Amino acid sequence: PERLLPLTALVGVSVCAAVERVCGTRPGLKWPNDPVLNGKKLCGILTELSMEGESGRVAYVVTGIGINVGQTPDDFSPEVAEMATSLSWELKRAVSRPRLAAAVIEELDRAYDALCRGDLSEYLYACRRDCVNVGKRVQLISDAGREEADAVGLDDAFGLIVRDASGAERVIRAGEVSVRG
């Protein structure tokens, strides 16, 4: 199961690569895996993992990917209209959903192969390059509340390195990180 920790980041990088291949523009990544374009969320990615109780082995992993392709601002509810966008809206042209879907599947296949080989260096490089949180003040949102920190980088396991007001650094592995506050 620990080998699957970077899975959501790999999926995010794969979606960005597919969008770049089909559309000619590369989205950024809001840590850990949200593709964003012009500061707005382009895609939602959710991953579910199930483990066998007795052995502790992974039973399955399912990833759901929803890419906003043809929506206009009117298609989004008022609650998300300021935060969400679509490829066709940002690019001012139609985008082929079949071509994009095929590219996403091909990129996911490449990521799966890299995960099986244990060589994620290409994905870590891309994630570090594309992460829109790094260099910004962020809010860390958890059950305990909200905390402000500076995002300073990604560690070798795709965790977000943050520095708090006292200058102490720590790695965030899960939870929500907001760049909007």
Side-chain angles (χ1 to χ4, degrees), residues 107-156:
E107 292 296 335
L108 289 171
D109 192 48
R110 287 184 62 240
Y112 178 73
D113 182 57
L115 186 64
C116 289
R117 285 184 288 115
D119 181 8
L120 303 179
S121 57
E122 171 187 346
Y123 293 88
L124 183 59
Y125 172 81
C127 204
R128 284 176 170 156
R129 177 194 63 212
D130 297 340
C131 187
V132 300
N133 305 85
V134 174
K136 295 197 171 115
R137 190 131 186 95
V138 297
Q139 279 197 15
L140 309 175
I141 304 166
S142 68
D143 292 338
R146 294 176 180 251
E147 172 191 357
E148 286 198 3
D150 293 315
V152 297
L154 297 177
D155 74 358
D156 289 344

Side-chain angles (χ1 to χ4, degrees), residues 90-111:
E90 294 297 328
L91 300 173
K92 307 297 185 225
R93 62 180 168 84
V95 173
S96 169
R97 288 182 299 168
R99 280 189 59 220
L100 183 59
V104 168
I105 291 168
E106 290 168 0
E107 292 296 335
L108 289 171
D109 192 48
R110 287 184 62 240

Side-chain angles (χ1 to χ4, degrees), residues 67-76 85-89:
I67 303 171
N68 298 331
V69 177
Q71 292 85 348
T72 68
D74 293 337
D75 293 323
F76 298 110
T85 193
S86 74
L87 286 169
S88 62
W89 180 255

Side-chain angles (χ1 to χ4, degrees), residues 33-90:
N33 67 345
D34 287 338
V36 294
L37 199 54
N38 296 327
K40 293 186 173 187
K41 189 171 177 177
L42 182 62
C43 176
I45 298 171
L46 295 174
T47 302
E48 181 179 316
L49 175 137
S50 178
M51 295 177 58
E52 296 174 354
E54 293 81 30
S55 68
R57 295 180 54 142
V58 174
Y60 65 83
V61 178
V62 177
T63 298
I65 303 168
I67 303 171
N68 298 331
V69 177
Q71 292 85 348
T72 68
D74 293 337
D75 293 323
F76 298 110
S77 69
E79 299 82 38
V80 299
E82 292 296 314
M83 299 177 287
T85 193
S86 74
L87 286 169
S88 62
W89 180 255
E90 294 297 328

